[in-house]
Amino acid sequence: MLLIGHLLKSLFRAFFKITLAALVTGGLAAEGALGLAYLYGFGWPPTRLIVILAIAIGVLGAYAAGLTTLLQEALRAALTVEHGVVRGVEEEIAGVGGKRRAVAARR
Protein backbone atom coordinates (compact mmCIF):
# COMPACT_ATOMS: atom_id res chain seq x y z
CA MET A 1 0.00 0.00 0.00
CA LEU A 2 2.91 2.32 0.70
CA LEU A 3 4.22 1.91 -2.85
CA ILE A 4 0.83 2.65 -4.41
CA GLY A 5 0.44 5.74 -2.24
CA HIS A 6 3.88 6.98 -3.25
CA LEU A 7 3.13 6.37 -6.94
CA LEU A 8 -0.20 8.19 -6.76
CA LYS A 9 1.37 11.13 -4.95
CA SER A 10 4.14 11.34 -7.55
CA LEU A 11 1.63 11.04 -10.39
CA PHE A 12 -0.60 13.86 -9.15
CA ARG A 13 2.36 16.09 -8.32
CA ALA A 14 3.80 15.56 -11.81
CA PHE A 15 0.41 16.14 -13.48
CA PHE A 16 -0.16 19.45 -11.72
CA LYS A 17 3.40 20.63 -12.30
CA ILE A 18 3.14 19.82 -16.00
CA THR A 19 -0.24 21.53 -16.28
CA LEU A 20 0.93 24.65 -14.46
CA ALA A 21 4.14 24.91 -16.48
CA ALA A 22 2.28 24.45 -19.76
CA LEU A 23 -0.41 27.03 -18.94
CA VAL A 24 1.98 29.67 -17.68
CA THR A 25 4.51 29.25 -20.47
CA GLY A 26 1.88 29.02 -23.20
CA GLY A 27 0.16 32.14 -21.93
CA LEU A 28 3.39 34.09 -21.68
CA ALA A 29 4.50 32.99 -25.16
CA ALA A 30 1.19 34.00 -26.76
CA GLU A 31 1.18 37.29 -24.86
CA GLY A 32 4.73 37.99 -25.95
CA ALA A 33 3.84 37.29 -29.58
CA LEU A 34 0.89 39.69 -29.41
CA GLY A 35 3.04 42.29 -27.68
CA LEU A 36 5.74 42.07 -30.34
CA ALA A 37 3.14 42.30 -33.10
CA TYR A 38 1.76 45.48 -31.50
CA LEU A 39 5.26 46.88 -30.95
CA TYR A 40 6.27 46.41 -34.58
CA GLY A 41 3.28 48.32 -35.91
CA PHE A 42 0.56 45.82 -36.69
CA GLY A 43 -1.84 47.83 -34.52
CA TRP A 44 -4.56 46.91 -32.13
CA PRO A 45 -6.81 44.91 -32.32
CA PRO A 46 -4.60 42.35 -34.01
CA THR A 47 -5.57 40.84 -37.32
CA ARG A 48 -6.83 37.29 -37.55
CA LEU A 49 -3.47 36.07 -38.87
CA ILE A 50 -1.61 37.58 -35.91
CA VAL A 51 -4.03 35.91 -33.47
CA ILE A 52 -3.57 32.55 -35.19
CA LEU A 53 0.21 32.94 -35.04
CA ALA A 54 0.05 33.94 -31.36
CA ILE A 55 -2.05 30.86 -30.60
CA ALA A 56 0.41 28.64 -32.47
CA ILE A 57 3.36 30.13 -30.58
CA GLY A 58 1.50 29.69 -27.29
CA VAL A 59 0.71 26.04 -28.05
CA LEU A 60 4.33 25.32 -28.99
CA GLY A 61 5.54 27.03 -25.82
CA ALA A 62 3.11 25.03 -23.71
CA TYR A 63 4.19 21.81 -25.41
CA ALA A 64 7.87 22.55 -24.79
CA ALA A 65 7.30 23.44 -21.14
CA GLY A 66 5.14 20.37 -20.58
CA LEU A 67 7.73 18.01 -22.06
CA THR A 68 10.54 19.65 -20.10
CA THR A 69 8.62 19.30 -16.86
CA LEU A 70 7.72 15.70 -17.70
CA LEU A 71 11.39 14.85 -18.19
CA GLN A 72 12.34 16.56 -14.93
CA GLU A 73 9.72 14.59 -13.01
CA ALA A 74 10.75 11.31 -14.68
CA LEU A 75 14.37 11.90 -13.70
CA ARG A 76 13.36 12.81 -10.17
CA ALA A 77 11.34 9.59 -9.89
CA ALA A 78 14.21 7.51 -11.30
CA LEU A 79 16.65 9.03 -8.81
CA THR A 80 14.23 8.40 -5.94
CA VAL A 81 13.91 4.75 -6.95
CA GLU A 82 17.69 4.45 -7.31
CA HIS A 83 18.29 5.90 -3.84
CA GLY A 84 15.72 3.49 -2.40
CA VAL A 85 17.41 0.52 -4.05
CA VAL A 86 20.84 1.58 -2.80
CA ARG A 87 19.48 2.06 0.72
CA GLY A 88 17.83 -1.38 0.63
CA VAL A 89 21.00 -3.08 -0.59
CA GLU A 90 23.08 -1.33 2.06
CA GLU A 91 20.65 -2.50 4.75
CA GLU A 92 20.81 -6.06 3.41
CA ILE A 93 24.60 -6.03 3.38
CA ALA A 94 24.70 -4.62 6.90
CA GLY A 95 22.22 -7.30 7.99
CA VAL A 96 24.25 -10.13 6.45
CA GLY A 97 27.46 -8.82 8.02
CA GLY A 98 25.76 -8.67 11.42
CA LYS A 99 24.52 -12.26 11.09
CA ARG A 100 28.01 -13.50 10.21
CA ARG A 101 29.47 -11.79 13.24
CA ALA A 102 26.80 -13.32 15.48
CA VAL A 103 27.47 -16.82 14.12
CA ALA A 104 31.23 -16.37 14.52
CA ALA A 105 30.76 -15.17 18.10
CA ARG A 106 28.74 -18.31 18.97
CA ARG A 107 31.55 -20.61 17.81
Side-chain angles (χ1 to χ4, degrees):
M1 193 65 181
L2 180 66
L3 178 64
I4 293 173
H6 177 71
L7 288 174
L8 286 175
K9 185 176 109 176
S10 297
L11 177 71
F12 281 115
R13 183 178 62 212
F15 174 75
F16 287 117
K17 278 186 175 183
I18 291 168
T19 304
L20 180 66
L23 288 175
V24 169
T25 305
L28 288 176
E31 181 181 337
L34 288 175
L36 286 175
Y38 177 74
L39 183 67
Y40 285 106
F42 287 101
W44 199 262
T47 62
R48 183 171 289 153
L49 178 64
I50 299 295
V51 171
I52 291 171
L53 289 174
I55 290 171
I57 290 171
V59 167
L60 289 175
Y63 177 72
L67 280 182
T68 303
T69 308
L70 176 65
L71 288 175
Q72 287 175 345
E73 290 299 314
L75 286 174
R76 178 175 288 131
L79 288 175
T80 301
V81 168
E82 187 265 337
H83 287 302
V85 168
V86 168
R87 189 177 314 129
V89 168
E90 287 174 348
E91 289 174 0
E92 279 293 319
I93 290 173
V96 168
K99 289 178 185 176
R100 286 184 185 167
R101 288 186 200 115
V103 170
R106 288 184 201 159
R107 291 183 183 175

